[in-house]
Amino acid sequence: PRFKKTSQLPPVGKCKDDVDRSMTPDEEEGWAFVQANMRSLVMPCGGSMVKGGTVNPTVASASSCRSTFCPEGSISDSMRDSCRDNCRKHPDFCNEACKNNKDDVGCQSCRLECEAACQCEDYCTPMMKDAALCHEQGQTWKPSL
């Protein structure tokens, strides 16, 4: 999670190089947050996929951003509700996928990805065109040429 108190700020400069000083538990937590934010991985936000005309919300979820950085149990019900509401009215995300039919499986899958990005916003940056890439790859997150 993001820093919640100043004591979580990890040491820098001379404080960091002081070998006689150990990091406090708060600083360790802050250091883990900094290190996690220095990683850059390209992966689906939630891992949903359209297959056989239905939405499979878990097909690639094990390798998704949300499962990697915001595991089950770390997202509150109020956050889930807020993200679902925001993704239904987002001015850009899923605009094309939901333009003609809000019940379309492509729209549903896109909104699941939007919700996953919202639920783990400290780590996941949604890329609106990823849904198009997924569609072009036969509606799968597998690498293809």
Side-chain angles (χ1 to χ4, degrees):
R2 289 184 180 179
F3 299 117
K4 294 182 179 163
K5 48 191 172 183
T6 57
S7 61
Q8 290 176 309
L9 295 172
V12 294
K14 290 181 182 178
C15 291
K16 181 179 172 231
D17 298 331
D18 185 356
V19 293
D20 294 332
R21 181 184 179 281
S22 298
M23 279 199 269
T24 67
D26 280 348
E27 290 172 336
E28 290 282 350
E29 190 175 331
W31 182 252
F33 175 75
V34 169
Q35 293 303 306
N37 275 293
M38 293 174 77
R39 288 176 70 186
S40 179
L41 304 169
V42 178
M43 58 180 63
C45 297
S48 71
M49 184 186 306
V50 175
K51 191 167 189 164
T54 61
V55 177
N56 183 334
T58 60
V59 74
S61 63
S63 61
S64 72
C65 180
R66 179 178 49 195
S67 69
T68 302
F69 297 106
C70 302
E72 198 65 38
S74 66
I75 303 165
S76 69
D77 289 340
S78 62
M79 172 64 92
R80 288 181 189 279
D81 293 343
S82 174
C83 288
R84 184 180 52 248
D85 293 343
N86 287 337
C87 288
R88 285 182 179 160
K89 62 184 178 190
H90 195 281
D92 300 314
F93 207 96
C94 302
N95 191 22
E96 286 297 313
C98 300
K99 183 192 272 185
N100 296 325
N101 184 356
K102 308 271 189 248
D103 295 323
D104 179 74
V105 291
C107 176
Q108 292 172 17
S109 182
C110 184
R111 284 193 173 151
L112 288 173
E113 292 301 299
C114 177
E115 290 172 27
C118 172
Q119 293 165 4
C120 195
E121 66 184 350
D122 287 349
Y123 300 98
C124 305
T125 302
M127 298 179 181
M128 291 184 288
K129 301 297 183 188
D130 282 355
L133 177 63
C134 179
H135 182 75
E136 290 167 5
Q137 293 178 175
Q139 298 174 347
T140 177
W141 284 108
K142 296 176 187 168
S144 66
L145 294 175

